[in-house]
């Protein structure tokens, strides 16, 4: 794994640990009791008991700020941890090596300990003196134990000092910026909840509602009888049946009638319509009938999301403010529920950011602030989304376009690509801000509107 992937993996563990601690009042087993960053998290939560009673939004802001601090510390720790792993490897090789290997490594071992540790941590010169007085095997054991423990302590002390030096700055930042973040988030929420269309979109686009079902076109074939086949000539015997039609008796039945001893059996079979007869009944011919029907099928819940936001000149002002409000709410939901999210910003050209990649969320603010002016190329935007739909990570994702739709409908080959993805399970949605065009009503599965 790369350095960024390792940090992302560790951040995910602390993210889950925060929720676990808020629910159960203790850290999960995955975070050891001596974990310094876990201890910082516990202290930050315990020093803010109002998190349990105040607006839940405070808890989310606190969680984000704690994770930002932990991420900064993990990056600060990285060089020291790299050196620590290198030294631990040397300790293992030295410990497991035979006496010849130990002699070979001794100059490096001596130099490392002499340079990095005080005598009270590892008294390397004292051990050298013991080598003169005792067998080497009896000295190596205590030396290696002291060195190994000192290596662990040195890393912990360094990391603890990093946390302590930066904690006061973090606390000050929380006091100064936390309330501003809260007010900004509240503003977005008020705008969001004032438009039922946005609430419905968030519930649908991320497949947030449980047991969601969509209608799916299904074609099926069945064989049904339509017309009897034409009657065959009487000379052609197609089958033997039962009845009392005396004109079509089998010879065996006339034999029964001719014999006095069995004559009564003949009349009985006649009365019960059980005489065996020749029959030329027409066959039922069947044909294949093709029928189309709508079938309810459950869809994958909490799937990936692709969001395209129009940043062209026609969206400037209030439309872009509304679009950004919905976008932030969708992204907040995606991050909270750990859903893969791909964001496309488009106008004269499209650019994108894959928020599932490590470190991508840190680049989000810069991405959103980079806007264009001029016309809009919807085809490029759609093709960018379709390319992601063909990847394993975003297969069958739902795609939302936030725009005023003041651009041409997609070209024919783009429509065919959209239909191919639609057949796989993707749904294409749109939020139109304004009332300029209805061209996409028949192209997308559903279009919501907010009149500006």
């Amino acid at each position: 794994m790369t350095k960024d992937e390792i940090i992302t993996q560790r951040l995910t563990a602390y993210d889950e640990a925060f929720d676990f601690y808020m629910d159960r009042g203790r850290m999960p087993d995955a975070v050891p009791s001596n974990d310094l960053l876990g201890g910082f998290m516990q202290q930050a939560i315990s020093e803010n008991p109002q998190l349990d009673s105040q607006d839940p939004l405070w808890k989310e802001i606190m969680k984000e700020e704690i994770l930002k601090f932990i991420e900064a510390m993990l990056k600060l720790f990285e060089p020291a941890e790299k050196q620590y792993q290198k030294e631990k490897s040397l300790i293992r090789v030295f410990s497991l090596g035979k006496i010849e290997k130990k002699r070979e490594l001794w100059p490096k071992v001596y130099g490392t300990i002499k340079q990095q540790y005080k005598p009270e941590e590892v008294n390397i010169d004292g051990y050298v003196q013991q080598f003169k007085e005792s067998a080497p095997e009896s000295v190596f054991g205590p030396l290696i134990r002291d060195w190994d423990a000192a290596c662990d302590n040195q890393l912990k002390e360094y990391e603890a000092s990093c946390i302590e030096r930066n904690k006061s700055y973090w606390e000050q930042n929380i006091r100064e910026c936390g309330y501003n973040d809260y007010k900004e988030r509240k503003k977005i929420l008020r705008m969001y909840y004032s438009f039922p269309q946005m609430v419905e979109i968030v519930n649908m686009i991320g497949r947030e509602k449980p047991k969601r079902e969509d209608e799916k076109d299904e074609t099926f074939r069945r064989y049904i009888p339509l017309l009897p086949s034409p009657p065959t000539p009487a000379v052609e015997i197609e089958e033997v049946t039962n009845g009392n039609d005396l004109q079509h008796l089998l010879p065996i039945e006339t034999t029964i009638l001719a014999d006095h001893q069995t004559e009564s059996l003949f009349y009985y079979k006649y009365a019960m319509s059980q005489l065996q007869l020749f029959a030329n009944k027409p066959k039922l011919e069947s044909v294949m009938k093709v029928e189309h029907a709508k079938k309810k099928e459950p869809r994958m819940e909490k799937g990936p999301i692709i969001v395209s936001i129009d940043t062209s000149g026609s969206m400037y002002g209030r439309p872009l403010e509304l679009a950004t409000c919905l976008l932030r709410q969708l992204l907040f939901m995606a991050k909270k529920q750990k859903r893969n999210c791909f964001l496309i910003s488009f106008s004269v050209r499209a650019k994108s950011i894959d928020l599932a990649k490590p470190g991508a969320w840190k680049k989000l603010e810069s991405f959103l602030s980079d806007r264009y002016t001029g016309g809009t190329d919807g085809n490029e935007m759609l093709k960018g989304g379709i390319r992601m739909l063909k990847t394993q990570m975003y297969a069958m994702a739902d795609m939302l376009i936030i725009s005023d739709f003041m651009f041409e409908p997609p070209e024919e080959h783009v429509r065919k690509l959209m239909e191919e993805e639609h057949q796989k399970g993707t749904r294409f949605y749109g939020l139109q801000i304004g009332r300029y065009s209805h061209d996409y009503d028949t192209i997308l599965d559903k279009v919501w509107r907010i009149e500006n």
Side-chain angles (χ1 to χ4, degrees):
M1 285 192 294
T2 66
K3 179 178 69 175
D4 285 343
E5 288 173 338
I6 293 172
I7 290 177
T8 298
Q9 188 180 61
R10 294 181 67 179
L11 278 175
T12 300
Y14 287 117
D15 186 323
E16 295 170 352
F18 181 94
D19 296 334
F20 190 95
Y21 189 88
M22 293 301 299
D23 288 340
R24 307 192 186 185
R26 65 178 180 85
M27 280 292 175
D29 296 337
V31 180
S33 58
N34 62 347
D35 186 282
L36 296 176
L37 292 172
F40 164 79
M41 179 183 288
Q42 291 184 68
Q43 182 181 357
I45 294 173
S46 63
E47 290 177 355
N48 291 273
Q50 71 275 16
L51 291 177
D52 282 328
S53 57
Q54 287 188 353
D55 187 336
L57 190 55
W58 277 113
K59 183 171 71 174
E60 294 299 330
I61 292 173
M62 177 63 76
K63 178 181 177 180
E64 290 178 9
E65 294 300 325
I66 288 174
L67 291 177
K68 284 180 185 177
F69 179 83
I70 289 177
E71 182 179 11
M73 291 300 100
L74 290 174
K75 290 181 177 179
L76 196 59
F77 295 167
E78 197 270 335
E81 289 182 345
K82 186 176 180 180
Q83 179 61 35
Y84 168 80
Q85 293 298 336
K86 184 178 178 180
E87 188 172 341
K88 292 288 279 190
S89 177
L90 177 61
I91 293 172
R92 284 193 297 272
V93 173
F94 184 75
S95 174
L96 297 174
K98 294 182 178 180
I99 190 65
E100 293 80 8
K101 187 67 174 178
K102 285 182 169 64
R103 286 196 180 105
E104 177 188 339
L105 292 173
W106 178 250
K108 185 176 183 179
V109 169
Y110 180 86
T112 299
I113 297 175
K114 187 73 174 177
Q115 181 181 4
Q116 294 186 202
Y117 299 99
K118 299 175 183 178
E120 56 268 27
E121 293 172 325
V122 183
N123 188 1
I124 187 63
D125 291 329
Y127 281 111
V128 169
Q129 185 63 34
Q130 288 185 39
F131 281 130
K132 298 176 182 178
E133 303 170 359
S134 307
E137 292 78 5
S138 63
V139 180
F140 281 131
L143 167 62
I144 292 170
R145 285 193 294 272
D146 281 355
W147 181 21
D148 191 54
C151 183
D152 291 341
N153 291 335
Q154 190 176 73
L155 178 66
K156 286 186 177 180
E157 288 176 4
Y158 171 78
E159 293 182 346
S161 66
C162 287
I163 293 173
E164 195 62 34
R165 284 198 311 269
N166 291 278
K167 186 170 64 172
S168 58
Y169 171 78
W170 177 82
E171 291 171 346
Q172 180 181 353
N173 184 67
I174 281 288
R175 287 192 295 269
E176 293 176 356
C177 303
Y179 186 65
N180 291 333
D181 291 343
Y182 176 79
K183 288 194 296 182
E184 182 63 25
R185 191 74 61 81
K186 271 294 187 183
K187 178 182 175 182
I188 293 173
L189 282 175
R190 282 194 296 270
M191 182 181 293
Y192 166 71
Y193 283 113
S194 65
F195 292 96
Q197 304 95 316
M198 292 190 184
V199 178
E200 185 178 346
I201 289 170
V202 171
N203 287 337
M204 180 173 285
I205 192 66
R207 305 176 189 176
E208 191 171 33
K209 290 183 177 179
K211 299 180 180 178
R212 176 183 170 197
E213 292 184 340
D214 278 359
E215 284 189 343
K216 177 183 178 182
D217 289 320
E218 183 168 276
T219 300
F220 61 93
R221 297 169 174 81
R222 63 189 177 107
Y223 291 89
I224 58 173
L226 290 185
L227 295 171
S229 60
T232 57
V235 295
E236 296 181 13
I237 300 173
E238 294 183 346
E239 63 176 307
V240 175
T241 187
N242 295 328
N244 56 10
D245 187 353
L246 300 178
Q247 294 181 0
H248 296 89
L249 285 175
L250 264 63
I252 187 64
E253 299 292 4
T254 58
T255 302
I256 294 173
L257 177 62
D259 190 331
H260 179 71
Q261 293 183 351
T262 57
E263 182 181 5
S264 59
L265 175 60
F266 176 88
Y267 291 118
Y268 173 80
K269 292 176 72 176
Y270 176 83
M272 301 299 292
S273 296
Q274 294 181 357
L275 292 171
Q276 297 184 70
L277 311 173
F278 294 121
N280 288 359
K281 292 184 177 180
K283 295 179 180 178
L284 290 177
E285 290 185 340
S286 62
V287 296
M288 185 174 68
K289 183 177 181 181
V290 180
E291 297 185 355
H292 298 271
K294 292 283 189 181
K295 182 180 179 181
K296 291 284 188 180
E297 286 205 351
R299 299 198 64 211
M300 191 171 59
E301 292 180 15
K302 297 190 176 180
I305 305 169
I306 298 176
V307 185
S308 297
I309 182 170
D310 184 352
T311 56
S312 62
S314 61
M315 288 285 289
Y316 182 76
R318 177 69 170 173
L320 194 56
E321 185 181 2
L322 291 170
T324 305
C325 171
L326 174 58
L327 175 64
R328 289 187 181 279
Q329 198 64 22
L330 280 167
L331 296 180
F332 177 71
M333 179 268 291
K335 187 174 183 180
K336 181 180 179 181
Q337 300 188 352
K338 300 176 179 62
R339 301 186 189 181
N340 293 337
C341 185
F342 190 81
L343 178 58
I344 301 172
S345 171
F346 70 99
S347 59
V348 291
R349 63 184 177 89
K351 64 169 188 169
S352 59
I353 182 171
D354 187 353
L355 295 173
K357 289 185 176 180
W361 283 97
K362 293 178 292 183
K363 304 174 185 176
L364 181 60
E365 290 299 326
S366 174
F367 179 87
L368 294 177
S369 63
D370 188 6
R371 297 168 184 167
Y372 306 112
T373 58
T376 310
D377 188 344
N379 281 292
E380 186 183 354
M381 172 270 297
L382 286 167
K383 285 188 285 188
I386 291 169
R387 280 194 297 271
M388 293 309 300
L389 288 169
K390 293 184 181 297
T391 65
Q392 183 177 1
M393 186 173 289
Y394 288 96
M396 294 188 294
D398 282 345
M399 183 171 179
L400 173 69
I401 303 169
I402 309 173
S403 172
D404 54 15
F405 289 91
M406 292 181 63
F407 48 89
E408 294 296 319
E411 298 168 357
E412 186 60 30
H413 75 281
V414 177
R415 291 199 191 195
K416 289 181 180 178
L417 292 172
M418 292 174 66
E419 181 58 29
E420 289 175 6
E421 298 305 319
H422 194 276
Q423 292 295 327
K424 297 175 186 176
T426 288
R427 296 295 176 262
F428 295 89
Y429 301 112
L431 173 64
Q432 181 175 358
I433 302 176
R435 47 183 178 178
Y436 305 104
S437 169
H438 294 268
D439 292 341
Y440 275 77
D441 284 7
T442 57
I443 297 170
L444 304 179
D445 289 277
K446 184 168 183 178
V447 177
W448 291 265
R449 284 186 174 81
I450 294 176
E451 294 188 5
N452 183 33

